[in-house]
Amino acid sequence: MNTNAGLALRRISGHCTVTADKIYAWYLLDAQGWSFRPDAVREQLIIDGADVYAQLVKRTLHIRSTTRPYPVSRWAAAHDQNAPAPLPAWREHLLTDQHHLSGRSMADKEVYVGVEIPARKGLHKALGGLAGTFSDREVAALSKHIRATDEIMASPGMDGVPVTPRQLEWLLHRSCSLGLPAPLTLGAVDDAHWEQEDLHEFTDHVQWIAEPYGRTIRVLGENENQRVERYVCVLSVGRMTDLEIPSGIPWMQRTDQLGFPVEWSARVTIEDSAKVGMAMRRNIQKIRAQKDHYELEHHEPAPGALDRQADKALNVEDEISMGLSGLSTRTTGWYRLAVSGATEEEALERASLLRKLFAPQITIARPADQYAVAREFIPGEKLASAAYKRRMPVTTLAAAVPAATAKVGDRVGIHLGETSGTSARVVTWEPWETTETREESGLAVLCAGLGGGKSTAGGNIIYRTVLQGVPWTVLDPSGRLTALCRLPELADVSQPIDLLDAPAGSLCTYRVIANPRREHYDSELDWKAALNQAEDTRRLLTSSVLRAVLPRQLQDHVLTEVALMRAVGAVRASTTSSTHDVVNQLRHLEGDADLARHAGYMADFLTEAAKTSHGRLIFPSGYMQDYERTDPLLTVYSLRGLALPDESTANSEDLDERLSMCVLYLAAWLTQRGMYLGDVNARKGIFIDEAWALSTFSTGRRFIDRAARDSRKHNTRVLMASQNPADLLKLDLANLISAAFIGRLTGEDAQRDALRFLPGIREGMGYESIFGTLSRPTREGRRGSREFIFSDGTGGIERIRMDLSAHPRLLEALNTTAQPEKALNRVGRAPVGEDELGLSIEEQASQRESA
């Protein structure tokens, strides 16, 4: 049977569809986050949605969930265009990513709801003799009802907005061309009114071919002048058990976990409570009559099923009669799902996967008349079959949360991974979007416990953006990220530097603060103000570091601050100065005898400290190295072998540990120089691991202030990583960051502190425990790809899983887990056979017989 019947739709007026006897106002629901929400917030979302449904009593709704695909090729083109100066390996990298993402979803889910607008009885009959449908004048006369419906649908829990003509056109294309690839372009006319003659655009190039009692329908269409054929299988929701509310995954969102698109169409009527109550009372009377038939007339015990049915009917009647809110309202509805495939076998296989997805709580059945139920997906078409009618309270309907989805990242940036909550959706992110278009800070934090994947996440971001031509300066105390410099595609543009073997003076407190460049400022006055600020920072930094080197007794002495202030103030705060100059000033400090004696003790101690391996990096002048510097795209400073004290005992009594802290701190300032030495408009990146050390110095706050403020001016993405969120909070980071990656945290205090990095999230609502569920290890202790709660800086917050599987060499380079099989002292030898390790089966049997 070849079917190409016309539409029941007669006209589109604004956001309303008009048929011969019905008017529906259509709304696009706002996407609702789900996976990163505690149960209390989820439950409130369901209650709010149920309240909206309850306000639409005696009305019929048409819920349509579809997808708006985003071609991977379009992302790849935008991603390529976004790369400022790609390296030679960029093309191969981009093709690898494009091929990898071709099997993953980048589609956006869109949920539309059509709400019936009540019209005066008999009016459509009167108008039918004249025009065959509602007139524009009558539609305008219903504007009061439409505005009231607009307000109801805009309420929390639904957040629906009237559709635009473009959106309604998209929905009609997706419905009339069910199963076909999405149209790449729509009509050129953006008109709010469509007449009946214009609606043929949706049907003339599409054919639905159905066989009586066939398992699928065949849909033929055109896409870019090419003939396309798809097989569509329509399913219906059957019997349902009582669902847990809030559930782990909303029952209409479950299909987002599948690797193929699923279309939903639901026709729902919000019942009048009085009619439902009367129906329940009639059912109770029937059940009682049946019981009497068994017990009184035949003196036989009644089946237990009758008692259970009576109890359920009584509960429903009680909820309706005694309910104090609209949450006791009942609904009747028909819920259809459609899947498609290039062949009938593929469509049926996907239908089978759908059944398994919902089993055993929900039964999914295949109606006999596939063509009739498929037409229900088209707005304006009538219900084709009353089979599989489902009755449920509005809370169960609201618990479907059709608009629940995972939306984070953008469609331009680097590929990070995919969402790992209730749906699997590709996550891409442009790190410089906040500094270039939103004029916000470029500061981002990476927080996770030991083995939480901080280095892997940071290395992934660095690798992909260096291939784009973005320069990065990395401070990696452990030295693991130097493996990036050994990758063949980055080797020629990378420079690993072991600071512990660097020339003397590399970390001089006067050298690590770069002078601002005149070309970076609009006026001479602003530039001079920046120069003065740099000099003040050098003085504060020198005073802070020298004090930290001193033993505790001298640090806490009242004269130490005075002596340092005078000595540092007497030294010119330029890049050519040296910390030795401050020591000489301490040795010759004039004034009070006690102060001079105390300053002499300080000078003696600092002189001896300057002779150590770490001291030689800090005390001599190091400005000469700036004239010999090169400009690699990737510079990784490592401090491998540096002995850091425990975070809780940062003020160590051991001189070597105190100097180690100073080295790490000054290395962070050295890393920041990359922000000031490049083009102010060009993208740049800074990565600082073990950022907790900054919280042990008084000038740590100034460091963060400069990083946050100047990152925007200098278009720099600053990534700071730490195991403990509390250490970063000491630096007042919460109000400065624009993005965050929060990994697995098991401590209650750490979980609570991490919430401060996520905008709009409050403590005490249940979010804290989510961090403990990230990267949950298997029984064998393996965690697989690391998970993070990702805040993208533009309002999106979602649970994601890092994905480096397309680049195995990168994954290997960033793997920080010990691998015993690669140990250098491992000797290769032939494996020992089982017969050498124990008795053979025959020998064991012989022993048993002897026993």
Side-chain angles (χ1 to χ4, degrees):
M1 178 174 59
N2 189 324
T3 55
N4 195 17
L7 299 177
L9 207 60
R10 294 292 180 267
R11 166 184 297 120
I12 297 175
S13 179
H15 65 293
C16 296
T17 57
V18 182
T19 63
D21 57 350
K22 298 283 186 181
I23 297 178
Y24 278 81
W26 285 87
Y27 304 88
L28 179 65
L29 303 191
D30 189 31
Q32 301 287 349
W34 188 263
S35 61
F36 185 64
R37 281 190 168 184
D39 284 346
V41 177
R42 293 175 176 178
E43 188 171 355
Q44 187 59 49
L45 176 65
I46 292 172
I47 291 174
D48 290 341
D51 184 62
V52 173
Y53 285 129
Q55 296 180 59
L56 300 173
V57 67
K58 299 182 181 179
R59 301 221 219 162
T60 300
L61 312 180
H62 187 183
I63 303 173
R64 272 290 280 118
S65 177
T66 186
T67 56
R68 189 181 288 265
Y70 193 89
V72 174
S73 59
R74 187 181 301 175
W75 165 80
H79 192 43
D80 181 55
Q81 187 69 25
N82 189 50
L87 299 183
W90 169 251
R91 176 178 173 79
E92 181 181 354
H93 170 82
L94 184 61
L95 290 175
T96 301
D97 269 353
Q98 186 175 355
H99 183 267
H100 179 64
L101 297 183
S102 63
R104 287 163 169 77
S105 173
M106 295 190 74
D108 286 325
K109 182 167 68 173
E110 294 183 347
V111 179
Y112 298 85
V113 177
V115 182
E116 182 186 4
I117 302 299
R120 293 196 299 272
K121 292 182 180 180
L123 182 60
H124 67 277
K125 293 182 180 179
L127 291 171
L130 299 175
T133 184
F134 287 101
S135 66
D136 287 334
R137 185 174 58 185
E138 174 58 15
V139 174
L142 294 174
S143 59
K144 180 179 179 180
H145 293 288
I146 295 173
R147 285 196 302 269
T149 306
D150 292 349
E151 294 177 3
I152 294 173
M153 293 299 294
S155 302
M158 202 69 66
D159 299 307
V161 295
V163 297
T164 64
R166 275 276 185 257
Q167 291 166 343
L168 198 51
E169 181 183 0
W170 170 265
L171 178 61
L172 286 166
H173 269 298
R174 294 292 280 167
S175 301
C176 295
S177 303
L178 196 62
L180 293 179
L184 299 180
T185 58
L186 295 179
V189 180
D190 194 1
D191 194 353
H193 298 277
W194 291 62
E195 298 299 333
Q196 185 172 2
E197 295 79 8
D198 302 320
L199 300 177
H200 292 277
E201 177 182 327
F202 300 110
T203 58
D204 281 356
H205 300 285
V206 181
Q207 281 186 312
W208 289 16
I209 302 174
E211 296 181 2
Y213 303 103
R215 297 183 295 176
T216 62
I217 63 170
R218 191 154 59 104
V219 181
L220 302 176
E222 294 180 2
N223 190 12
E224 296 295 302
N225 296 323
Q226 293 184 350
R227 197 70 171 170
V228 181
E229 178 183 83
R230 290 292 185 271
Y231 290 82
V232 178
C233 180
V234 182
L235 305 167
S236 189
V237 173
R239 290 171 292 119
M240 302 171 62
T241 61
D242 292 335
L243 301 177
E244 181 184 356
I245 298 176
S247 59
I249 303 177
W251 58 272
M252 282 185 73
Q253 198 205 2
R254 291 189 191 182
T255 53
D256 293 355
Q257 302 173 77
L258 300 173
F260 49 85
V262 178
E263 300 274 330
W264 280 86
S265 175
R267 303 297 182 99
V268 182
T269 300
I270 311 300
E271 299 289 354
D272 183 2
S273 299
K275 289 185 177 180
V276 176
M278 292 174 60
M280 289 300 103
R281 283 190 288 274
R282 286 195 300 269
N283 287 337
I284 292 171
Q285 291 171 0
K286 291 179 181 178
I287 293 169
R288 286 174 179 170
Q290 291 175 10
K291 285 191 66 176
D292 290 343
H293 178 72
Y294 278 96
E295 297 174 349
L296 298 181
E297 297 181 18
H298 294 280
H299 304 287
E300 293 287 342
L306 290 176
D307 290 327
R308 290 192 294 271
Q309 293 175 11
D311 290 341
K312 192 166 186 178
L314 283 170
N315 289 334
V316 171
E317 184 189 27
D318 182 63
E319 287 179 9
I320 294 171
S321 59
M322 300 301 293
L324 300 179
S325 68
L327 300 183
S328 59
T329 305
R330 259 26 198 193
T331 69
T332 57
W334 294 261
Y335 303 88
R336 320 291 194 198
L337 306 90
V339 292
S340 62
T343 63
E344 186 174 41
E345 289 72 21
E346 183 181 25
L348 293 174
E349 180 182 354
R350 291 179 172 182
S352 178
L353 291 175
L354 260 180
R355 293 190 185 95
K356 294 177 182 178
L357 178 69
F358 284 95
Q361 289 181 311
I362 301 175
T363 302
I364 302 297
R366 180 168 52 83
D369 192 347
Q370 288 284 291
Y371 172 77
V373 291
R375 286 192 68 91
E376 292 181 10
F377 284 77
I378 304 174
E381 298 298 310
K382 293 183 178 181
L383 186 70
S385 171
Y388 305 106
K389 179 166 66 174
R390 304 266 61 85
R391 298 178 176 87
M392 64 183 70
V394 287
T395 50
T396 303
L397 174 61
V401 197
T405 187
K407 195 170 186 179
V408 70
D410 52 50
R411 292 295 173 74
V412 176
I414 58 175
H415 173 229
L416 295 179
E418 60 184 12
T419 56
S420 59
T422 54
S423 61
R425 182 178 177 272
V426 171
V427 178
T428 57
W429 179 54
E430 172 48 59
W432 288 271
E433 196 270 344
T434 54
T435 56
E436 293 178 346
T437 63
R438 300 174 68 90
E439 297 185 355
E440 295 179 1
S441 161
L443 193 60
V445 296
L446 265 165
C447 276
L450 191 63
K454 300 184 301 297
S455 297
T456 300
N460 185 33
I461 296 170
I462 293 167
Y463 171 81
R464 293 174 182 275
T465 50
V466 168
L467 283 177
Q468 291 182 321
V470 177
W472 276 86
T473 309
V474 178
L475 174 59
D476 177 33
S478 67
R480 290 296 185 97
L481 290 181
T482 56
L484 290 175
C485 302
R486 295 192 292 271
L487 291 172
E489 58 268 36
L490 299 185
D492 293 339
V493 296
S494 302
Q495 183 180 13
I497 299 175
D498 186 351
L499 284 174
L500 297 186
D501 290 333
S506 295
L507 297 178
C508 174
T509 56
Y510 291 93
R511 181 217 173 199
V512 296
I513 306 297
N515 269 333
R517 295 187 174 186
R518 175 63 185 87
E519 60 268 25
H520 294 170
Y521 295 87
D522 296 333
S523 67
E524 187 82 11
L525 187 62
D526 291 340
W527 176 56
K528 289 184 176 180
L531 282 173
N532 293 333
Q533 184 183 26
E535 292 176 355
D536 291 342
T537 303
R538 291 191 188 102
R539 295 187 184 97
L540 287 171
L541 180 61
T542 302
S543 178
S544 178
V545 168
L546 292 180
R547 182 169 183 168
V549 172
L550 296 171
R552 177 66 64 83
Q553 295 85 348
L554 288 178
Q555 287 185 32
D556 297 338
H557 199 283
V558 67
L559 295 178
T560 298
E561 188 71 26
V562 178
L564 281 175
M565 181 177 65
R566 291 188 181 180
V568 172
V571 176
R572 183 168 174 264
S574 68
T575 57
T576 60
S577 298
S578 164
T579 318
H580 279 309
D581 299 337
V582 179
V583 176
N584 290 333
Q585 290 293 331
L586 285 172
R587 197 174 298 282
H588 301 94
L589 197 64
E590 298 180 356
D592 183 78
D594 291 338
L595 178 62
R597 188 182 307 110
H598 184 80
Y601 295 149
M602 294 169 59
D604 290 342
F605 187 90
L606 292 173
T607 300
E608 294 303 315
K611 299 175 183 178
T612 64
S613 59
H614 294 341
R616 72 176 186 83
L617 298 171
I618 300 174
F619 285 84
S621 178
Y623 71 94
M624 296 79 65
Q625 301 171 43
D626 294 334
Y627 299 113
E628 302 172 358
R629 69 181 181 88
T630 57
D631 293 308
L633 272 182
L634 175 60
T635 303
V636 181
Y637 293 116
S638 70
L639 296 167
R640 194 177 312 184
L642 191 68
L644 293 175
D646 185 79
E647 297 182 35
S648 60
T649 58
N651 294 322
S652 173
E653 295 296 333
D654 183 74
L655 173 60
D656 185 61
E657 290 187 348
R658 293 200 306 274
L659 282 169
S660 296
M661 290 295 297
C662 293
V663 167
L664 178 61
Y665 181 54
L666 289 170
W669 281 96
L670 177 65
T671 304
Q672 198 186 48
R673 284 166 57 91
M675 181 188 302
Y676 302 97
L677 297 178
D679 184 349
V680 66
N681 295 308
R683 296 174 181 173
K684 296 169 286 294
I686 295 174
F687 178 82
I688 298 177
D689 202 357
E690 302 292 353
W692 63 270
L694 302 179
S695 65
T696 63
F697 288 83
S698 60
T699 46
R701 176 72 174 88
R702 178 174 288 265
F703 178 93
I704 300 302
D705 276 341
R706 287 191 56 169
R709 181 180 64 252
D710 293 347
S711 63
R712 181 184 63 82
K713 297 177 183 177
H714 293 266
N715 199 17
T716 305
R717 172 54 73 182
V718 181
L719 289 175
M720 303 189 70
S722 182
Q723 292 184 21
N724 192 350
D727 293 321
L728 297 179
L729 290 176
K730 293 176 185 176
L731 303 168
D732 293 336
L733 276 178
N735 296 324
L736 300 174
I737 66 171
S738 61
F741 296 82
I742 311 298
R744 182 177 175 82
L745 297 170
T746 54
E748 293 183 1
D749 292 339
Q751 293 172 352
R752 184 170 57 253
D753 292 338
L755 292 180
R756 299 272 304 277
F757 299 132
L758 304 176
I761 305 299
R762 302 194 306 273
E763 297 179 18
M765 299 182 66
Y767 287 96
E768 295 87 346
S769 61
I770 298 176
F771 298 119
T773 66
L774 301 174
S775 305
R776 186 173 290 168
T778 63
R779 289 185 177 181
E780 294 78 19
R782 299 174 181 173
R783 294 190 192 172
S785 299
R786 299 303 190 262
E787 291 182 303
F788 293 88
I789 299 299
F790 172 42
S791 172
D792 61 8
T794 60
I797 304 177
E798 196 48 75
R799 180 174 181 153
I800 71 168
R801 179 186 296 108
M802 286 287 171
D803 181 13
L804 283 72
S805 59
H807 304 280
R809 285 189 309 184
L810 173 63
L811 183 60
E812 177 70 17
L814 296 177
N815 185 9
T816 59
T817 303
Q819 302 178 62
E821 66 275 8
K822 294 186 178 181
L824 296 178
N825 64 347
R826 190 176 181 91
V827 179
R829 54 192 172 86
V832 178
E834 292 183 7
D835 56 338
E836 300 178 64
L837 297 175
L839 299 175
S840 67
I841 296 176
E842 292 80 3
E843 289 172 329
Q844 295 177 30
S846 176
Q847 283 192 1
R848 285 196 298 270
E849 291 176 1
S850 301

